Amino acid sequence: MLALLGFVSLASFMLVVIKKWATALVAVVTIPIVVLLISGQGTALPDMVAEGIETVAPTAILLLFAVLYFGIMMDAKLFDPISRGIIRLSGGDPVKICVGTAVLALLVALDGDGTTSYMIICSAFLPIYRKLGINPLVIATIATMALGTISGTTPWGGAATRAISVLQIDATDYFVHMLPAMLLMSAAIVGLAYLLGRSARKKISQERIAEVTAHVSSGAHKEGSDGTLLTKATWRTWVNAALTVTLLVLLVLGVADLLVLFMLGFIIVLIVNHPKPSDQGDVIRSHAANAVPVVILVLGAGVFTGILTETGMTTAMADALISLIPDGSEGMIPAAAALIGIPLSFFMANDAYFFGIVPVLAESAAQYSIPPEEMARAAVIGQMAHSIGPASAPLWVLLGLVRASLGDFQRFAFLWVLAASLMYIGFAILTGAISVGL
């Protein structure tokens, strides 16, 4: 019963959001509550909601200040010089720009932090996408696939770290056998970015590409046809650049909690760029339209994951899926776990998935002498799906940066990410990272 209710919750949420029958906020809160009442556990609703919100509250506050910080940086045109340089190098070709996006996304994802990765990628490429008229959902799709592959697979990334710790396995043994599959998947993401770039190029006229390229190459400091003002650098530009680089370095080094860094960073850039108190209030209000919805949705996602985890629905779903494996096909468990991990990772927080579900799957596999290292490798493959799911906190930063709704993004990215996830399973089997036995 719990497994059925869990699957109904996941399917209902996805259908409602993609079809736009309700906003993501309404769906992510009401659907699990309705299912909880049906399950007969309604009296536990306050505790479950409080537990879920408590888990995501620090992330919600972090995203609030991160969105405000980068909103000020975008207003200040801080990243215009970077975008002009990339356009010159690429000749304004959307294909080269998308491939360049993939390469940068794969490199910065080595950091392991999704929020930092998305901010760097969008800072460098988003102004270019807007100048050329490329759908910003393209950059979001490429970025999530890259993060899910690299950060999701490397032992210092959050997902693999959880799998390694909970299954008590050797990190080197886990990673050495997973590395070939990860490299193949990285090359595949570059190929997928090429296809996305070709699709984008068909929607942009050559005249538009030539116009933007010529405008950038001329170095003219005037308003372009896309409404983007290319301004000359001032002392504030250099201060903004120094502060942003310092902030990103501190993020990578882990000097302090992300929440603290972005809160202090926002206060500093607010004072530097808008010294008058009256202007500061106007700036906060102008960016509140982007920041507040992000925070509310993260808190709503906490309700969703809190209810599904605390009711035991997630564990029941995993057990139900494992039970579908026919007798005599136990050697397929790692591949089946990887397939199961795609939908479960999509809807679940990583803590709930890796600490609640993965041990159950590994215990089932151990009965057939399947090593836990293989189950860890299988578990992380679903991270690309997790990167586009409602429980992925960095995704809300990305959506705020590209100014897109969850439904629009998932409708655009879902098939690309699903195809990439299935390819990753294929690469893992091909390279022996996970075994298939009959």
Side-chain angles (χ1 to χ4, degrees):
M1 182 63 177
L2 283 177
L4 177 61
L5 289 174
F7 288 123
V8 169
S9 299
L10 304 186
S12 300
F13 173 79
M14 190 170 181
L15 181 64
V16 167
V17 170
I18 290 180
K19 291 292 187 180
K20 292 187 174 181
W21 292 339
T23 62
L25 174 62
V26 171
V28 83
V29 173
T30 58
I31 289 176
I33 290 177
V34 170
V35 172
L36 178 67
L37 295 176
I38 294 173
S39 72
Q41 301 183 55
T43 55
L45 174 63
D47 292 336
M48 292 181 181
V49 170
E51 183 71 24
I53 291 179
E54 183 179 350
T55 301
V56 301
T59 300
I61 299 171
L62 160 65
L63 300 186
L64 170 65
F65 288 104
V67 172
L68 291 174
Y69 179 93
F70 279 94
I72 293 177
M73 293 298 97
M74 291 295 182
D75 288 346
K77 310 296 181 186
L78 174 63
F79 307 108
D80 267 12
I82 298 174
S83 64
R84 289 198 295 269
I86 294 174
I87 290 178
R88 288 193 189 99
L89 291 174
S90 66
D93 183 2
V95 173
K96 294 180 180 178
I97 289 171
C98 288
V99 169
T101 302
V103 173
L104 178 62
L106 290 165
L107 291 174
V108 298
L110 286 167
D111 164 60
D113 180 71
T115 302
T116 305
S117 298
Y118 291 154
M119 288 175 178
I120 293 173
I121 297 161
C122 288
S123 297
F125 281 97
L126 192 55
I128 305 170
Y129 279 64
R130 287 177 175 155
K131 286 183 176 70
L132 288 170
I134 302 174
N135 188 344
L137 295 179
V138 173
I139 192 174
T141 301
I142 295 171
T144 50
M145 288 192 296
L147 183 74
T149 298
I150 302 300
S151 179
T153 302
T154 52
W156 54 88
T161 299
R162 290 175 174 89
I164 291 168
S165 62
V166 75
L167 298 182
Q168 298 180 355
I169 59 177
D170 181 70
T172 301
D173 187 33
Y174 153 82
F175 190 53
V176 167
H177 292 86
M178 195 64 180
L179 185 57
M182 186 188 77
L183 294 176
L184 287 173
M185 191 63 240
S186 298
I189 289 174
V190 174
L192 292 173
Y194 173 82
L195 295 177
L196 284 164
R198 284 183 61 111
S199 177
R201 185 165 60 185
K202 294 177 182 177
K203 300 175 183 178
I204 304 172
S205 67
Q206 290 300 317
E207 291 76 12
R208 172 65 174 166
I209 294 174
E211 176 187 349
V212 172
T213 304
H215 177 76
V216 171
S217 299
S218 69
H221 301 289
K222 59 184 179 181
E223 187 174 330
S225 58
D226 64 345
T228 302
L229 186 64
L230 303 178
T231 57
K232 291 183 178 179
T234 65
W235 68 268
R236 283 192 174 90
T237 304
W238 295 109
V239 172
N240 288 334
L243 287 171
T244 301
V245 170
T246 301
L247 177 61
L248 293 176
V249 170
L250 294 176
L251 287 173
V252 172
L253 294 178
V255 172
D257 188 273
L258 295 178
L259 190 161
V260 175
L261 291 175
F262 270 106
M263 180 183 292
L264 295 177
F266 167 69
I267 296 299
I268 294 172
V269 298
L270 181 65
I271 295 172
V272 168
N273 291 274
H274 305 281
K276 295 182 180 179
S278 57
D279 292 342
Q280 292 172 5
D282 292 337
V283 168
I284 293 174
R285 281 189 290 272
S286 68
H287 291 291
N290 293 325
V292 173
V294 173
V295 173
I296 293 176
L297 281 168
V298 171
L299 295 174
V303 175
F304 187 95
T305 57
I307 290 176
L308 263 67
T309 301
E310 296 299 317
T311 55
M313 291 183 194
T314 51
T315 301
M317 285 188 288
D319 290 338
L321 290 171
I322 282 291
S323 69
L324 296 176
I325 300 175
D327 293 337
S329 301
E330 291 80 10
M332 298 293 295
I333 288 180
L339 284 171
I340 292 169
I342 295 174
L344 292 183
S345 295
F346 181 88
F347 287 103
M348 294 179 63
N350 271 339
D351 283 345
Y353 175 63
F354 283 99
F355 296 136
I357 302 301
V358 173
V360 175
L361 298 176
E363 183 178 351
S364 299
Q367 298 175 21
Y368 304 99
S369 301
I370 297 173
E373 289 81 5
E374 284 196 32
M375 298 305 294
R377 297 177 200 127
V380 301
I381 289 176
Q383 283 302 292
M384 275 186 281
H386 176 75
S387 295
I388 68 169
S392 173
L395 174 63
W396 300 106
V397 175
L398 181 61
L399 294 178
L401 291 171
V402 301
R403 299 175 187 174
S405 70
L406 177 64
D408 287 340
F409 171 62
Q410 289 182 341
R411 187 165 50 254
F412 181 90
F414 181 77
L415 291 180
W416 290 97
V417 172
L418 177 60
S421 299
L422 295 175
M423 290 170 64
Y424 204 1
I425 294 175
F427 291 143
I429 294 173
L430 180 66
T431 58
I434 59 176
S435 61
V436 175
L438 299 177

